[in-house]
Amino acid sequence: DTAVSQTPKYLVTQMGNDKSIKCEQNLGHDTMYWYKQDSKKFLKIMFSYNNKELIINETVPNRFSPKSPDKAHLNLHINSLELGDSAVYFCASRDINYGYTFGSGTRLTVV
Amino acid sequence: QQQVKQSPQSLIVQKGGISIINCAYENTAFDYFPWYQQFPGKGPALLIAIRPDVSEKKEGRFTISFNKSAKQFSLHIMDSQPGDSATYFCAASIKAAGNKLTFGGGTRVLVKP
């Protein structure tokens, strides 16, 4: 049973399109995150939600909008995709001892 | 401004050898220092973590050494195995600030048989 699952695993789309990535965790954690890993493998936080409330919003273009319908789900919607958005996006959840569980990632390629 | 600097970028070690990865941080408010292991096509997985009131923590073949005054910490992988070949990331966070992880740049480790 996958702890943190993301869909889709791969996403290829044209510039200007709008796309969504879905994330679900079955660990019962209250806090979830989105991280972006660029082509040089550098990982950077984008957003964090705690029990459906936004608690961290890093300097991310407002074309990116997270949505958390409940504490087990954190989705990421991206409007007007640009070439520079190509990256691997990781969803994660965090336990009470501060350990993160990451999903397997969504590789987004904008062409 | 990179708050957590990691070195080396890559490392080749023979099977049975010791892999050593170093990290330095700037923000003295960091109070949680984990290491993550990432295999190709997978997400990072928590390996081991330390808090600043402890100077060393060992779990199996993995040891974190922490030097608070120097603002440095390192990961030692003893008796390195080919299955340890992966990218390793150090990270730091502030528990009271949402515990967002600030990652180092990663070290690609290759263990030769």
Side-chain angles (χ1 to χ4, degrees):
Chain A
D1 221 10
T2 306
V4 180
S5 59
Q6 294 179 228
T7 54
K9 189 166 176 66
Y10 300 97
L11 190 50
V12 181
T13 188
Q14 291 188 324
M15 278 196 313
N17 283 352
D18 303 340
K19 290 293 178 186
S20 292
I21 307 171
K22 295 186 176 181
C23 178
E24 176 181 4
Q25 55 100 357
N26 62 6
L27 298 167
H29 297 165
D30 287 340
T31 308
M32 296 183 72
Y33 302 82
W34 278 109
Y35 279 79
K36 178 180 179 180
Q37 187 169 46
D38 63 22
S39 58
K40 295 184 179 179
K41 292 210 173 285
F42 188 70
L43 280 154
K44 187 169 167 53
I45 190 169
M46 299 174 70
F47 302 102
S48 175
Y49 271 72
N50 182 270
N51 206 5
K52 301 192 298 176
E53 281 194 39
L54 179 67
I55 58 170
I56 295 173
N57 184 349
E58 290 292 292
T59 310
V60 177
N62 56 17
R63 298 181 294 104
F64 291 79
S65 53
K67 281 188 173 54
S68 181
D70 55 62
K71 74 173 193 177
H73 295 84
L74 180 60
N75 304 321
L76 183 65
H77 187 76
I78 316 170
N79 289 326
S80 304
L81 278 154
E82 301 178 356
L83 292 176
D85 297 332
S86 295
V88 182
Y89 292 85
F90 287 102
C91 176
S93 71
R94 193 199 83 206
D95 64 34
I96 58 171
N97 293 315
Y98 304 100
Y100 276 56
T101 301
F102 283 85
S104 293
T106 296
R107 181 175 293 277
L108 172 65
T109 304
V110 183
V111 296
Chain B
Q1 181 194 12
Q2 194 176 350
Q3 290 199 51
V4 179
K5 294 183 180 178
Q6 184 171 345
S7 62
Q9 285 187 309
S10 62
L11 181 57
I12 299 174
V13 62
Q14 291 294 128
K15 180 182 173 182
I18 303 173
S19 304
I20 301 174
I21 306 169
N22 300 300
C23 284
Y25 63 96
E26 297 173 5
N27 189 345
T28 54
F30 286 139
D31 56 7
Y32 177 71
F33 301 88
W35 285 88
Y36 283 81
Q37 178 189 55
Q38 185 179 28
F39 292 106
K42 301 292 185 184
L46 179 63
L47 201 56
I48 187 173
I50 199 168
R51 302 208 191 305
D53 54 344
V54 175
S55 61
E56 186 174 283
K57 183 175 181 180
K58 184 176 181 179
E59 287 183 4
R61 295 184 294 106
F62 301 92
T63 300
I64 300 179
S65 297
F66 187 83
N67 185 329
K68 189 174 181 178
S69 60
K71 294 189 286 185
Q72 294 175 347
F73 58 112
S74 60
L75 176 70
H76 289 61
I77 307 173
M78 314 300 286
D79 187 27
S80 296
Q81 300 297 311
D84 297 332
S85 298
T87 300
Y88 293 82
F89 292 93
C90 63
S93 69
I94 304 169
K95 287 183 285 182
N99 200 52
K100 67 174 186 178
L101 292 173
T102 299
F103 282 92
T107 297
R108 194 167 179 175
V109 174
L110 176 63
V111 181
K112 289 195 167 183

